[in-house]
Amino acid sequence: MVRAGLSPERLTLAGAELADEAGFGQVTLSALARRFDVKPASLYAHVKNSHDLKTRIALFALEELADRVADAVAGRAGKDALTAFANAYRDYARAHPGRYEAARYRLDPQTAAASAGVRHAQMTRALLRGYDLAEPDQTHAVRMLGSVFHGYASLEAAGGFDHTDIAAQQSWAWTLDCLDTALRSRSAS
Amino acid sequence: MVRAGLSPERLTLAGAELADEAGFGQVTLSALARRFDVKPASLYAHVKNSHDLKTRIALFALEELADRVADAVAGRAGKDALTAFANAYRDYARAHPGRYEAARYRLDPQTAAASAGVRHAQMTRALLRGYDLAEPDQTHAVRMLGSVFHGYASLEAAGGFDHTDIAAQQSWAWTLDCLDTALRSRSAS
DNA sequence: CCGTTTGCCTATAGGGCATAGGTAGATGCA
DNA sequence: TGCATCTACCTATGCCCTATAGGCAAACGG
């Protein structure tokens, strides 16, 4: 009986890969067990249950995405930062659809508060410093940007832009341009 | 043995109600059978399988939402129409979270093409007539609006706006204002 | 009023989740 | 080095959801 060398970390990573390949909805303890050539019951020694596994994948994805965004916006400001932020976000969703879906997995408030989700909010606010918005406008802007980024990524992933043959990339650039204009026009200064 | 009087329509409607109460993910043939005090196997006489049921609920929700939007924008133009459209959309998502989720259920291309989804696209384009955008800007705008509407509804439903005590309603109004400005500034005339 | 259709049934099988309890490989300590 | 312990993975089991096959009785149509 050779041991498979399971651990919460390996299961989480393998779960993320499985999500990208087959969709987050296909991430099951059974499927993961098959991937490690192990019986499903064996996984319960490393993760509490199915929900725990999904939560770990979600936290992992949030962290990874936050890292990429942080990397992208480093040393940039204004529209340059906006574009970098937005592209990092969209690129992640395209490269890792399953992980992106996982990042939207509903977390309980405590877990969410301790997650990289707060870094996302902080980075968005940092990004907006370039637009000099006073409260409550800044919060409005955070929500608007979040909506556009998530909405676009979500619709694009669902194939919502496949009907028309105008490239999704062009609409994305156009949208970012709109956002930049809108934010600049609302600048306090 | 009293008959329950099942039909595809009644199952679809009950499924939509179940979705609103417990979430679209909780819509199962078993749960629906319980609701009609009937055995799960009995449902297969009316719907092909679980996927078929969910597809029916999705189509129903798309239709219902399109009706509401059509009603809201009737006789309006410009920012007035934009606001009415957007509010109808968001209000539906808030009043019927399960049906809204269902409306995002992935349909195969054929089904999608025959669904009320095309009415949504048409109405969005009609809305944009007030802004006089030439192609490909119009397509870009359709995508941007879809992203914002869906993104906002999605984040709000997920409780993403609960952390800050600034009302989601205010951010929504602010966002629509931004969109209106952005679209007007890109008008061809 | 009888035959056919149709609506819901039981029985059954497969797959995912989850727990209880067993066994063998790895580890630690004398 | 050898034994005790611990830990990783196992089997067995039960529940729930999906799905199919085949049966019986209520409803309907002539």
Side-chain angles (χ1 to χ4, degrees):
Chain A
M1 195 189 296
V2 188
R3 299 198 173 189
L6 304 181
S7 72
E9 292 72 27
R10 287 194 65 192
L11 288 179
T12 303
L13 184 58
E17 286 164 3
L18 177 57
D20 283 339
E21 290 162 23
F24 189 57
Q26 299 304 310
V27 174
T28 66
L29 290 174
S30 297
L32 207 53
R34 277 193 292 276
R35 190 164 270 237
F36 283 100
D37 205 28
V38 139
K39 301 294 170 187
S42 305
L43 303 188
Y44 287 88
H46 307 281
V47 296
K48 263 217 304 292
N49 48 38
S50 178
H51 173 65
D52 179 40
L53 171 67
K54 288 174 188 162
T55 301
R56 284 170 188 273
I57 299 174
L59 292 174
F60 170 75
L62 282 171
E63 203 82 47
E64 195 174 43
L65 176 53
D67 288 346
R68 299 211 183 182
V69 169
D71 230 48
V73 298
R76 298 180 194 277
K79 189 184 179 185
D80 206 31
L82 174 69
T83 306
F85 190 118
N87 282 333
Y89 201 91
R90 173 168 174 254
D91 290 347
Y92 187 77
R94 285 155 56 95
H96 298 290
R99 299 179 196 200
Y100 181 74
E101 220 183 316
R104 318 268 13 136
Y105 186 67
R106 187 123 188 201
L107 305 173
D108 56 288
Q110 285 187 35
T111 314
S115 77
V118 305
R119 269 174 74 204
H120 287 269
Q122 285 168 356
M123 290 190 293
T124 310
R125 290 200 127 83
L127 163 72
L128 287 169
R129 275 204 283 273
Y131 293 97
D132 192 26
L133 294 169
E135 282 297 4
D137 286 13
Q138 199 183 70
T139 297
H140 298 331
V142 168
R143 291 172 175 176
M144 182 177 74
L145 289 180
S147 299
V148 177
F149 296 168
H150 169 54
Y152 203 94
S154 176
L155 295 183
E156 188 174 13
F161 299 158
D162 298 347
H163 308 298
T164 319
D165 59 350
I166 292 177
Q169 173 58 41
Q170 289 178 19
S171 300
W172 180 242
W174 188 89
T175 298
L176 295 183
D177 215 60
C178 264
L179 290 176
D180 177 64
T181 318
L183 291 176
R184 267 193 288 111
S185 80
R186 265 146 195 88
S187 170
S189 60
Chain B
M1 195 189 293
V2 190
R3 297 199 175 187
L6 305 180
S7 72
E9 292 72 25
R10 287 194 65 192
L11 290 178
T12 304
L13 184 58
E17 287 165 4
L18 177 57
D20 284 339
E21 291 163 22
F24 189 58
Q26 299 304 308
V27 174
T28 67
L29 291 173
S30 295
L32 206 54
R34 276 193 292 277
R35 191 165 269 236
F36 283 99
D37 205 26
V38 139
K39 302 294 170 187
S42 305
L43 304 188
Y44 287 88
H46 307 280
V47 296
K48 263 217 307 287
N49 49 37
S50 177
H51 173 66
D52 179 40
L53 171 67
K54 288 174 188 162
T55 301
R56 285 170 187 272
I57 299 174
L59 293 174
F60 170 75
L62 282 171
E63 203 82 46
E64 196 174 43
L65 176 53
D67 288 346
R68 299 210 181 184
V69 169
D71 229 49
V73 298
R76 299 181 193 275
K79 189 183 178 184
D80 207 29
L82 174 69
T83 306
F85 189 118
N87 281 333
Y89 201 91
R90 172 165 173 255
D91 290 347
Y92 187 78
R94 285 155 56 95
H96 298 292
R99 299 180 195 199
Y100 180 74
E101 219 182 319
R104 317 273 7 140
Y105 186 66
R106 187 123 190 202
L107 305 174
D108 55 289
Q110 285 188 33
T111 314
S115 76
V118 304
R119 271 174 73 204
H120 286 269
Q122 286 168 353
M123 290 190 293
T124 310
R125 289 201 127 81
L127 164 71
L128 287 169
R129 274 204 285 274
Y131 293 98
D132 193 27
L133 295 169
E135 281 296 5
D137 285 13
Q138 199 184 67
T139 297
H140 298 330
V142 167
R143 291 171 175 178
M144 182 179 72
L145 289 181
S147 299
V148 177
F149 296 168
H150 169 54
Y152 204 94
S154 175
L155 295 182
E156 188 174 13
F161 298 158
D162 297 349
H163 310 299
T164 318
D165 58 352
I166 291 176
Q169 174 57 42
Q170 290 178 18
S171 300
W172 179 242
W174 188 89
T175 298
L176 295 183
D177 215 62
C178 266
L179 290 177
D180 177 63
T181 318
L183 290 177
R184 266 192 288 110
S185 80
R186 267 149 194 86
S187 171
S189 60

